[in-house]
């Protein structure tokens, strides 16, 4: 497994992984700001429910084993509804491919890790939730891993497996990586 993307997200959007991609802001900068209160420095903060997001300027096919991880702090979601909110994704709604790491609000004070998936025929949307760890009000390291040979997808919080989906066939295609976005197929440029 290679480290394709690694972004410190401290204002410098250059990728320090193997892929030479740079991340750019799509649909304006409204609702997305640099904040100095990150876990290990500055971070990006979502301040409004808008279509602003960061997107890689090149595509990648995540067709093998994969991991998506990030540091995350949730004080509240912008809107209080049944949606899941994208953190890192290459999930495409229109082609039912790829995976995305998301956050779901289960109640006023309960926020759980979630994910989007696609097997090429069907997609899931905010279906899988972490089972035990409430993410609200503290920094957490969250992640999603997929083992292609074993067909196992797992959601991780602070180094512990919080959900396992067995017998999952992840379908992938050459697509962008989005941060703070729903899915690469639902972005207008």
């Amino acid at each position: 497994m290679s480290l394709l993307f690694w972004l410190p997200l401290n204002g410098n959007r250059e990728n320090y992984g193997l892929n030479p991609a740079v991340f750019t802001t799509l649909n304006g900068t409204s609702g997305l700001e640099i904040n100095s209160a990150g876990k290990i420095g500055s971070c990006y903060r979502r301040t409004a429910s808008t279509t602003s997001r960061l997107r890689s300027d090149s595509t990648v096919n995540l067709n093998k084993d994969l991991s998506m991880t990030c540091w995350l702090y949730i004080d509240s979601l912008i809107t209080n509804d049944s949606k899941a909110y994208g953190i890192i994704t290459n999930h495409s709604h229109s082609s039912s491919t790829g995976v995305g790491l998301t956050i779901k609000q289960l109640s006023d004070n309960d926020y759980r890790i979630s994910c989007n998936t696609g097997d090429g025929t069907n997609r899931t949307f905010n279906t899988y939730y972490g089972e035990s760890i409430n993410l609200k009000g503290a920094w957490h390291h969250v992640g999603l891993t997929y083992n292609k040979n074993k067909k196992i997808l797992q959601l991780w919080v602070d180094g512990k497996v919080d959900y396992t989906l067995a017998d999952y066939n992840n379908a992938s295609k050459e697509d962008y990586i989005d941060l703070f976005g729903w899915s690469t197929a639902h972005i207008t440029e």
Side-chain angles (χ1 to χ4, degrees):
M1 187 178 296
S2 302
L3 185 63
L4 294 180
F5 296 95
W6 175 51
L7 287 88
L9 293 180
N10 57 4
N12 178 357
R13 297 181 188 157
E14 182 180 345
N15 174 34
Y16 290 88
L18 295 176
N19 187 304
V22 173
F23 281 68
T24 55
T25 306
L26 238 60
N27 300 332
T29 58
S30 174
L32 207 55
E33 70 179 19
I34 296 175
N35 185 290
S36 62
K39 183 76 171 176
I40 53 177
S42 296
C43 63
Y44 277 94
R45 180 178 183 206
R46 171 73 81 188
T47 61
S49 181
T50 67
T51 56
S52 298
R53 70 208 64 218
L54 299 175
R55 174 183 260 190
S56 62
D57 62 3
S58 61
T59 60
V60 63
N61 190 352
L62 299 178
N63 62 349
K64 296 181 172 72
D65 293 350
L66 65 93
S67 297
M68 296 178 176
T69 64
C70 68
W71 284 101
L72 178 72
Y73 185 98
I74 302 173
D75 52 11
S76 65
L77 292 180
I78 303 304
T79 59
N80 186 359
D81 57 27
S82 63
K83 296 177 182 175
Y85 292 86
I87 306 298
I88 308 169
T89 185
N90 84 322
H91 177 72
S92 170
H93 289 203
S94 61
S95 63
S96 298
T97 58
V99 293
L101 185 58
T102 63
I103 298 301
K104 172 81 166 108
Q105 180 178 3
L106 298 182
S107 70
D108 287 345
N109 291 304
D110 191 356
Y111 299 83
R112 304 289 176 100
I113 193 172
S114 178
C115 70
N116 293 17
T117 61
D119 64 10
T121 303
N122 296 297
R123 68 176 178 87
T124 64
F125 170 63
N126 67 6
T127 301
Y128 310 115
Y129 310 121
E131 297 180 332
S132 60
I133 301 171
N134 183 357
L135 302 173
K136 186 173 183 180
W139 280 100
H140 295 280
H141 190 260
V142 298
L144 174 152
T145 60
Y146 179 65
N147 183 307
K148 184 175 181 176
N149 288 335
K150 294 181 179 179
K151 297 191 272 186
I152 294 176
L153 182 139
Q154 292 182 309
L155 298 177
W156 297 74
V157 179
D158 299 330
K160 298 175 186 173
V161 175
D162 200 36
Y163 186 86
T164 298
L165 173 64
D167 200 30
Y168 168 62
N169 287 305
N170 180 47
S172 63
K173 69 174 188 174
E174 190 83 8
D175 213 338
Y176 295 97
I177 301 294
D178 284 329
L179 306 177
F180 304 111
W182 276 108
S183 99
T184 54
H186 277 221
I187 296 174
T188 56
E189 299 183 88

